[in-house]
Amino acid sequence: MPLPLILRWPNREPAHEPLLARLQADQIVGDEPIAGAVTSGLWPGIRSPGAKGGNPDVASASREPWVDASGYLAAVQRALGNPGLLGHQHRNPEQGVPFETLELALVEARVNGGNFVLSVEPRYRKALLAGEEKALAAWSSLAQTAAWLRKHEGLLGRPTLPTLTAIVEPGYATTEIANLLFRRGGSPLLVSTANIPRPDSGRTPVLVAAGLKAVPAAAWAHAAAGATVVIDSAPEAGWSRVKEDLDRTVYGVGKGQVVAYHKRIQDPSEFALDCIDLVTHKRRAARLWNAPAAIPLATAGGLLHIIQYGSPIAGEIQARVHGLYRSATLLRPEAPPLALKLYRRGTMSEVFPPSIQRLGVVQFE
């Protein structure tokens, strides 16, 4: 059954009905709380550096965009056995957000298998009711994307590739590690402590077990079978020390290894890059170039989702996914399917998708 499109619209009046009809929401609610909705997420988009006249797509002198994303929360909730319904709102009347970011919030939740309660921030709502052109254009785009997501629901919420698997549990530590693994493009497969997959033949080369209150014994079975298990807790007595760095020690365990950080993870962003390095570029699930404000997500069935958090991408970007395919097609809410030229690069397939507004899905076959 398709996920419902949920709109939060307090103080509904008859004069609002033509506007609401354009969206065709399945449920329209007021200010009441929605059971099970997670409200701790950040409003998606590019955070302004704060300087007047500054480029909103630039966060610092490094020119790396400061991206706020919350789609990972849907993946975390699903891994913990919850529906993955997100309900955060933008409540700061002194700091406006682009109207199209409401659409972005729905996109990132749906791509990660969850749903989002569409809460229209006051400035956007006022502009809509006043008939402002930019607001109405964003509303029409939201309606178009919502319909596209419903039509293509079978492409969304699929398991990510298991090349980088991370164990999560309730609480901040593992949730923030998952956040940065997604943000850094790691396409992690999230599992709960009670649902760790059985060791396999190299399909899970890296298992992240950091940030946990206690590492489950099932994690060590992955190391014994040949995987790299990453922890930030005390190692087991009797493990053979292979290498010691400033911040971590590598131990040989069975056919694999355990990378043990000496302290609890304080910088999840750098830690995420470390984990991706352990996967190696040959086995990395996905990678993008020329799209610093986009987050890639490689999922089962040969799908690469590209969520753009900044201004729409006008030109081509470079994208690679793990695996060798024969063809690739770009799917977007705002355009018909587009066949892409495909190149094989070692263990990966490469394409150059153009013109992505907020979401592009590359379907490999």
mmCIF file of all heavy atoms in Angstrom, residues 303-325:
data_model
loop_
_atom_site.group_PDB
_atom_site.id
_atom_site.type_symbol
_atom_site.label_atom_id
_atom_site.label_comp_id
_atom_site.label_asym_id
_atom_site.label_seq_id
_atom_site.Cartn_x
_atom_site.Cartn_y
_atom_site.Cartn_z
ATOM 1 N N LEU A 303 20.436 0.520 -8.143
ATOM 2 C CA LEU A 303 19.891 1.876 -8.108
ATOM 3 C C LEU A 303 20.854 2.826 -7.409
ATOM 4 O O LEU A 303 21.405 2.499 -6.361
ATOM 5 C CB LEU A 303 18.546 1.896 -7.379
ATOM 6 C CG LEU A 303 17.413 1.097 -8.019
ATOM 7 C CD1 LEU A 303 16.205 1.072 -7.095
ATOM 8 C CD2 LEU A 303 17.036 1.681 -9.374
ATOM 9 N N LEU A 304 21.033 3.993 -7.987
ATOM 10 C CA LEU A 304 21.808 5.055 -7.371
ATOM 11 C C LEU A 304 20.902 6.270 -7.223
ATOM 12 O O LEU A 304 20.446 6.849 -8.209
ATOM 13 C CB LEU A 304 23.026 5.425 -8.215
ATOM 14 C CG LEU A 304 23.811 6.649 -7.714
ATOM 15 C CD1 LEU A 304 24.407 6.379 -6.335
ATOM 16 C CD2 LEU A 304 24.893 7.039 -8.714
ATOM 17 N N HIS A 305 20.618 6.649 -5.982
ATOM 18 C CA HIS A 305 19.809 7.832 -5.700
ATOM 19 C C HIS A 305 20.750 8.998 -5.427
ATOM 20 O O HIS A 305 21.688 8.881 -4.632
ATOM 21 C CB HIS A 305 18.916 7.600 -4.484
ATOM 22 C CG HIS A 305 18.015 6.408 -4.617
ATOM 23 N ND1 HIS A 305 18.466 5.116 -4.426
ATOM 24 C CD2 HIS A 305 16.708 6.313 -4.935
ATOM 25 C CE1 HIS A 305 17.457 4.276 -4.619
ATOM 26 N NE2 HIS A 305 16.387 4.978 -4.919
ATOM 27 N N ILE A 306 20.476 10.128 -6.061
ATOM 28 C CA ILE A 306 21.271 11.338 -5.865
ATOM 29 C C ILE A 306 20.332 12.419 -5.358
ATOM 30 O O ILE A 306 19.448 12.876 -6.078
ATOM 31 C CB ILE A 306 21.946 11.785 -7.173
ATOM 32 C CG1 ILE A 306 22.823 10.657 -7.737
ATOM 33 C CG2 ILE A 306 22.771 13.046 -6.946
ATOM 34 C CD1 ILE A 306 23.328 10.915 -9.145
ATOM 35 N N ILE A 307 20.518 12.815 -4.094
ATOM 36 C CA ILE A 307 19.686 13.855 -3.496
ATOM 37 C C ILE A 307 20.498 15.140 -3.463
ATOM 38 O O ILE A 307 21.564 15.196 -2.844
ATOM 39 C CB ILE A 307 19.237 13.474 -2.077
ATOM 40 C CG1 ILE A 307 18.539 12.115 -2.083
ATOM 41 C CG2 ILE A 307 18.306 14.545 -1.505
ATOM 42 C CD1 ILE A 307 18.159 11.616 -0.688
ATOM 43 N N GLN A 308 19.993 16.174 -4.120
ATOM 44 C CA GLN A 308 20.703 17.449 -4.214
ATOM 45 C C GLN A 308 20.157 18.411 -3.172
ATOM 46 O O GLN A 308 18.986 18.774 -3.192
ATOM 47 C CB GLN A 308 20.558 18.037 -5.630
ATOM 48 C CG GLN A 308 21.047 19.448 -5.787
ATOM 49 C CD GLN A 308 22.549 19.614 -5.521
ATOM 50 O OE1 GLN A 308 23.260 18.655 -5.265
ATOM 51 N NE2 GLN A 308 23.021 20.848 -5.582
ATOM 52 N N TYR A 309 21.017 18.859 -2.250
ATOM 53 C CA TYR A 309 20.600 19.723 -1.155
ATOM 54 C C TYR A 309 20.830 21.198 -1.432
ATOM 55 O O TYR A 309 20.340 22.044 -0.682
ATOM 56 C CB TYR A 309 21.315 19.308 0.132
ATOM 57 C CG TYR A 309 20.774 18.029 0.710
ATOM 58 C CD1 TYR A 309 21.177 16.791 0.212
ATOM 59 C CD2 TYR A 309 19.841 18.041 1.734
ATOM 60 C CE1 TYR A 309 20.664 15.605 0.731
ATOM 61 C CE2 TYR A 309 19.321 16.866 2.258
ATOM 62 C CZ TYR A 309 19.739 15.658 1.759
ATOM 63 O OH TYR A 309 19.226 14.481 2.257
ATOM 64 N N GLY A 310 21.574 21.518 -2.471
ATOM 65 C CA GLY A 310 21.812 22.906 -2.813
ATOM 66 C C GLY A 310 20.997 23.328 -4.012
ATOM 67 O O GLY A 310 19.930 22.770 -4.291
ATOM 68 N N SER A 311 21.480 24.327 -4.721
ATOM 69 C CA SER A 311 20.795 24.789 -5.926
ATOM 70 C C SER A 311 20.752 23.670 -6.959
ATOM 71 O O SER A 311 21.630 22.796 -6.981
ATOM 72 C CB SER A 311 21.528 25.998 -6.508
ATOM 73 O OG SER A 311 21.593 27.048 -5.565
ATOM 74 N N PRO A 312 19.734 23.662 -7.836
ATOM 75 C CA PRO A 312 19.664 22.608 -8.856
ATOM 76 C C PRO A 312 20.947 22.493 -9.662
ATOM 77 O O PRO A 312 21.607 23.496 -9.963
ATOM 78 C CB PRO A 312 18.494 23.064 -9.739
ATOM 79 C CG PRO A 312 17.628 23.856 -8.825
ATOM 80 C CD PRO A 312 18.580 24.576 -7.895
ATOM 81 N N ILE A 313 21.324 21.273 -9.980
ATOM 82 C CA ILE A 313 22.517 21.005 -10.779
ATOM 83 C C ILE A 313 22.172 21.194 -12.251
ATOM 84 O O ILE A 313 21.304 20.500 -12.786
ATOM 85 C CB ILE A 313 23.033 19.577 -10.531
ATOM 86 C CG1 ILE A 313 23.436 19.409 -9.058
ATOM 87 C CG2 ILE A 313 24.218 19.267 -11.442
ATOM 88 C CD1 ILE A 313 23.771 17.980 -8.685
ATOM 89 N N ALA A 314 22.840 22.137 -12.900
ATOM 90 C CA ALA A 314 22.523 22.437 -14.293
ATOM 91 C C ALA A 314 23.321 21.580 -15.264
ATOM 92 O O ALA A 314 22.817 21.170 -16.311
ATOM 93 C CB ALA A 314 22.773 23.917 -14.572
ATOM 94 N N GLY A 315 24.577 21.299 -14.932
ATOM 95 C CA GLY A 315 25.420 20.529 -15.848
ATOM 96 C C GLY A 315 25.514 19.076 -15.443
ATOM 97 O O GLY A 315 24.710 18.561 -14.666
ATOM 98 N N GLU A 316 26.527 18.399 -15.979
ATOM 99 C CA GLU A 316 26.733 16.984 -15.674
ATOM 100 C C GLU A 316 27.505 16.819 -14.371
ATOM 101 O O GLU A 316 28.341 17.646 -14.016
ATOM 102 C CB GLU A 316 27.516 16.307 -16.802
ATOM 103 C CG GLU A 316 26.754 16.157 -18.103
ATOM 104 C CD GLU A 316 27.564 15.405 -19.149
ATOM 105 O OE1 GLU A 316 28.806 15.375 -19.038
ATOM 106 O OE2 GLU A 316 26.956 14.856 -20.079
ATOM 107 N N ILE A 317 27.225 15.720 -13.690
ATOM 108 C CA ILE A 317 28.062 15.295 -12.580
ATOM 109 C C ILE A 317 28.601 13.906 -12.898
ATOM 110 O O ILE A 317 28.072 13.209 -13.771
ATOM 111 C CB ILE A 317 27.305 15.285 -11.237
ATOM 112 C CG1 ILE A 317 26.175 14.238 -11.265
ATOM 113 C CG2 ILE A 317 26.752 16.652 -10.912
ATOM 114 C CD1 ILE A 317 25.493 14.082 -9.925
ATOM 115 N N GLN A 318 29.638 13.528 -12.218
ATOM 116 C CA GLN A 318 30.252 12.218 -12.419
ATOM 117 C C GLN A 318 29.840 11.306 -11.270
ATOM 118 O O GLN A 318 29.941 11.686 -10.103
ATOM 119 C CB GLN A 318 31.774 12.367 -12.465
ATOM 120 C CG GLN A 318 32.541 11.088 -12.742
ATOM 121 C CD GLN A 318 34.056 11.332 -12.768
ATOM 122 O OE1 GLN A 318 34.503 12.459 -12.552
ATOM 123 N NE2 GLN A 318 34.820 10.303 -13.018
ATOM 124 N N ALA A 319 29.349 10.120 -11.610
ATOM 125 C CA ALA A 319 28.851 9.206 -10.585
ATOM 126 C C ALA A 319 29.314 7.792 -10.879
ATOM 127 O O ALA A 319 29.303 7.343 -12.032
ATOM 128 C CB ALA A 319 27.325 9.247 -10.535
ATOM 129 N N ARG A 320 29.727 7.091 -9.799
ATOM 130 C CA ARG A 320 30.124 5.694 -9.927
ATOM 131 C C ARG A 320 29.403 4.846 -8.880
ATOM 132 O O ARG A 320 29.174 5.311 -7.758
ATOM 133 C CB ARG A 320 31.636 5.523 -9.744
ATOM 134 C CG ARG A 320 32.475 6.053 -10.879
ATOM 135 C CD ARG A 320 33.950 5.760 -10.662
ATOM 136 N NE ARG A 320 34.778 6.359 -11.710
ATOM 137 C CZ ARG A 320 36.094 6.274 -11.756
ATOM 138 N NH1 ARG A 320 36.748 5.602 -10.802
ATOM 139 N NH2 ARG A 320 36.770 6.844 -12.726
ATOM 140 N N VAL A 321 29.078 3.620 -9.271
ATOM 141 C CA VAL A 321 28.512 2.656 -8.328
ATOM 142 C C VAL A 321 29.288 1.352 -8.437
ATOM 143 O O VAL A 321 29.890 1.045 -9.476
ATOM 144 C CB VAL A 321 27.018 2.375 -8.596
ATOM 145 C CG1 VAL A 321 26.186 3.616 -8.358
ATOM 146 C CG2 VAL A 321 26.802 1.835 -10.001
ATOM 147 N N HIS A 322 29.267 0.597 -7.358
ATOM 148 C CA HIS A 322 29.944 -0.691 -7.351
ATOM 149 C C HIS A 322 29.162 -1.685 -8.193
ATOM 150 O O HIS A 322 27.941 -1.764 -8.119
ATOM 151 C CB HIS A 322 30.065 -1.212 -5.918
ATOM 152 C CG HIS A 322 30.927 -2.426 -5.806
ATOM 153 N ND1 HIS A 322 30.413 -3.703 -5.843
ATOM 154 C CD2 HIS A 322 32.266 -2.553 -5.671
ATOM 155 C CE1 HIS A 322 31.415 -4.560 -5.726
ATOM 156 N NE2 HIS A 322 32.543 -3.896 -5.620
ATOM 157 N N GLY A 323 29.864 -2.414 -9.017
ATOM 158 C CA GLY A 323 29.225 -3.405 -9.880
ATOM 159 C C GLY A 323 29.381 -3.057 -11.346
ATOM 160 O O GLY A 323 29.574 -1.891 -11.707
ATOM 161 N N LEU A 324 29.298 -4.055 -12.183
ATOM 162 C CA LEU A 324 29.428 -3.875 -13.628
ATOM 163 C C LEU A 324 28.080 -4.087 -14.286
ATOM 164 O O LEU A 324 27.457 -5.130 -14.129
ATOM 165 C CB LEU A 324 30.467 -4.847 -14.186
ATOM 166 C CG LEU A 324 31.887 -4.686 -13.601
ATOM 167 C CD1 LEU A 324 32.810 -5.748 -14.179
ATOM 168 C CD2 LEU A 324 32.425 -3.291 -13.881
ATOM 169 N N TYR A 325 27.629 -3.073 -15.034
ATOM 170 C CA TYR A 325 26.309 -3.095 -15.660
ATOM 171 C C TYR A 325 26.438 -2.827 -17.156
ATOM 172 O O TYR A 325 27.487 -2.409 -17.648
ATOM 173 C CB TYR A 325 25.403 -2.051 -15.004
ATOM 174 C CG TYR A 325 25.146 -2.309 -13.540
ATOM 175 C CD1 TYR A 325 25.949 -1.713 -12.557
ATOM 176 C CD2 TYR A 325 24.123 -3.152 -13.126
ATOM 177 C CE1 TYR A 325 25.724 -1.946 -11.208
ATOM 178 C CE2 TYR A 325 23.885 -3.391 -11.781
ATOM 179 C CZ TYR A 325 24.692 -2.783 -10.827
ATOM 180 O OH TYR A 325 24.468 -3.022 -9.496
#
